[in-house]
Amino acid sequence: MSTPDGPTDLVGMRERNLALVLAEIDRSQPVTRARLAELTGLTKTTVSAQVAALTGLGIVSADDPVPGGRGRPGAPVSVAPGPIAGLGLEINVGYLSACVVDLTRQVRIRRTVARAEAGDRPQDAVAALANLARLVTRQARRAGLVLAGTTVAVPGVIDGKLVNAPNLRWDALPAADFLSDAIPSRPLPITVDNEANLAALAELWFGAGPGLGDYVHVSSETGIGAGIVVSGALFRGAHGAAGELGHVIVAPDGPPCRCGGRGCLEQVAGLDALLSVAGIRVPAGANPDAATLGTAIPDRPPGAGAAELVRRLEAGDRRALDAARQAGRGLGVALVAVANLFDPASIVLGGLHAQIAPWTTPHIAAALEAGGGRLRGRSPALRTSEVADGAVLGAAGEVVARILADPLAVARQERAR
């Protein structure tokens, strides 16, 4: 048994110092060792040792020396753009996505493919995701990248090992184990998280998040979810179900929902509801954006219906405008409850609702002002996300965040290979 000053405590101190120095490099880069010592409160000798260890792991790299001042010019260090990277995967209604992000949070590989309609067997969907993961892993290897982990985004509630994803018609599936058996990541860690949570984190890591204060990020494709970020951290709730905005009841006498309730927001402002009101019919399995599995989509998940809805809105089609009005009012009702409960500084619209924001935000803003703006003195700022494919990007970013929080994990993984 180790004493407080024994080997175990010393190892823990070194790990904490390593993470402390790396966090400051990530925040202040490019930064010299002398400045790191000032920022962290560690000695210059300790900082130099930690920087050397991080360089040896391939996590940081030295920049050109910066002349100035007395003595030798300082050589700043920055987080290395390679070879270490994270793999994000997403499985959703109608599409699969993969994204590789390096430690500087630059997207190195991005690929999206079509998949069959919801309702196929989970085994088939996961097998297709595994094929995509293998393809992207080979691309990463050819680019000289070393994947240090995988996170999978799923449109459902994650509670430990269980996932309930109504829009995929998955229920009580041991998601992490199920995916770990199929995804080619061993011995690397694989985690599973809710797609709305990951999209909210993508806003924090890749978008406007740092300047938004506490915010709620609305994620919408077929379904609607929300990620709640408080003091720069995700709020998950007691059972991982915080942010299920799509199942807030906005029309008690409304249509039945796949979750078992009636009049849920998804039945008013989800993609299927919007297409129905707009009179847009997309044949089952039809997807002119990506006809076959393996066809890459350059910028966004496939969605023939969503693209047609936007086209009709731009053309001023009456039924499409009615659909947007219905969606904006329904979303406004739900967001009033969110605003009154959490008092966020900002609400960010992502996914489908970012695409149709010009036609819905007037209705949302009016509802927020009427339903709680006077109570709090002001309504939350209503913004539109500029982060494309937030869920899969957040999934890859989550791997990067894990590495930055525990840089020695890279060494442990190398020993396990």
Side-chain angles (χ1 to χ4, degrees):
M1 180 175 178
S2 301
T3 65
D5 297 321
T8 300
D9 190 65
L10 290 174
V11 169
M13 183 181 297
R14 292 190 191 101
E15 291 183 356
R16 288 191 295 273
N17 287 344
L18 198 65
L20 176 64
V21 170
L22 179 56
E24 199 56 64
I25 293 171
D26 183 47
R27 184 162 41 245
S28 306
Q29 60 187 321
V31 57
T32 64
R33 292 163 179 79
R35 179 59 177 157
L36 282 171
E38 295 175 5
L39 293 169
T40 62
L42 301 174
T43 66
K44 292 181 181 179
T45 300
T46 299
V47 166
S48 293
Q50 304 307 318
V51 169
L54 292 168
T55 301
L57 291 170
I59 294 176
V60 304
S61 58
D63 299 327
D64 293 333
V66 178
R70 297 180 178 178
R72 297 174 57 187
V77 293
S78 300
V79 175
I84 299 168
L87 172 62
L89 299 172
E90 180 185 5
I91 185 165
N92 216 316
V93 179
Y95 69 90
L96 308 170
S97 286
C99 182
V100 175
V101 171
D102 66 28
L103 296 187
T104 68
R105 299 184 180 86
Q106 293 299 307
V107 176
R108 304 293 290 274
I109 300 169
R110 192 197 300 257
R111 192 172 180 88
T112 300
V113 300
R115 63 175 285 258
E117 290 292 311
D120 58 349
R121 296 189 312 157
Q123 295 90 333
D124 296 335
V126 171
L129 187 67
N131 288 336
L132 178 60
R134 292 187 188 95
L135 172 65
V136 172
T137 298
R138 288 195 296 269
Q139 287 182 273
R141 191 178 300 118
R142 288 195 295 269
L145 298 173
V146 177
L147 299 180
T150 303
T151 294
V152 183
V154 178
V157 177
I158 307 297
D159 181 12
K161 293 185 177 182
L162 298 180
V163 58
N164 180 286
N167 289 320
L168 293 177
R169 298 183 177 89
W170 292 5
D171 185 34
L173 185 71
D177 292 344
F178 198 68
L179 290 161
S180 294
D181 289 341
I183 304 299
S185 64
R186 293 174 179 168
L188 305 180
I190 180 169
T191 60
V192 183
D193 206 342
N194 172 266
E195 55 89 19
N197 285 342
L198 292 169
L201 290 173
E203 193 68 38
L204 181 67
W205 295 326
F206 302 92
L212 296 176
D214 296 342
Y215 66 91
V216 174
H217 182 280
V218 178
S219 175
S220 56
E221 296 301 337
T222 297
I224 300 176
I228 304 166
V229 175
V230 179
S231 300
L234 189 70
F235 175 73
R236 295 182 178 275
H239 306 98
E244 282 297 311
L245 184 67
H247 300 290
V248 171
I249 297 173
V250 297
D253 297 326
C257 181
R258 288 170 179 161
C259 74
R262 296 189 70 90
C264 293
L265 177 62
E266 283 187 5
Q267 303 307 311
V268 173
L271 178 60
D272 290 346
L274 290 174
L275 297 182
S276 177
V277 174
I280 298 172
R281 296 184 60 188
V282 179
N287 198 327
D289 290 335
T292 59
L293 183 64
T295 302
I297 311 300
D299 298 318
R300 61 177 174 81
E308 177 62 14
L309 175 63
V310 172
R311 189 192 70 77
R312 293 192 187 187
L313 286 168
E314 290 173 340
D317 179 83
R318 181 185 58 80
R319 295 184 67 180
L321 292 173
D322 287 343
R325 186 180 304 109
Q326 170 184 294
R329 289 173 176 172
L331 193 53
V333 170
L335 289 176
V336 165
V338 169
N340 287 338
L341 186 61
F342 290 102
D343 189 26
S346 306
I347 292 173
V348 184
L349 302 178
L352 169 66
H353 280 282
Q355 296 180 54
I356 65 173
W359 299 277
T360 59
T361 49
H363 306 292
I364 298 171
L368 286 170
E369 180 62 28
R374 296 181 183 87
L375 177 67
R376 295 183 309 279
R378 60 184 299 182
S379 296
L382 188 59
R383 300 173 180 267
T384 301
S385 177
E386 296 183 359
V387 177
D389 305 339
V392 71
L393 187 60
E398 196 276 335
V399 178
V400 170
R402 272 189 275 150
I403 297 167
L404 295 178
D406 181 15
L408 285 180
V410 173
R412 291 192 294 270
Q413 290 164 15
E414 283 298 318
R415 289 195 294 269
R417 287 180 189 271

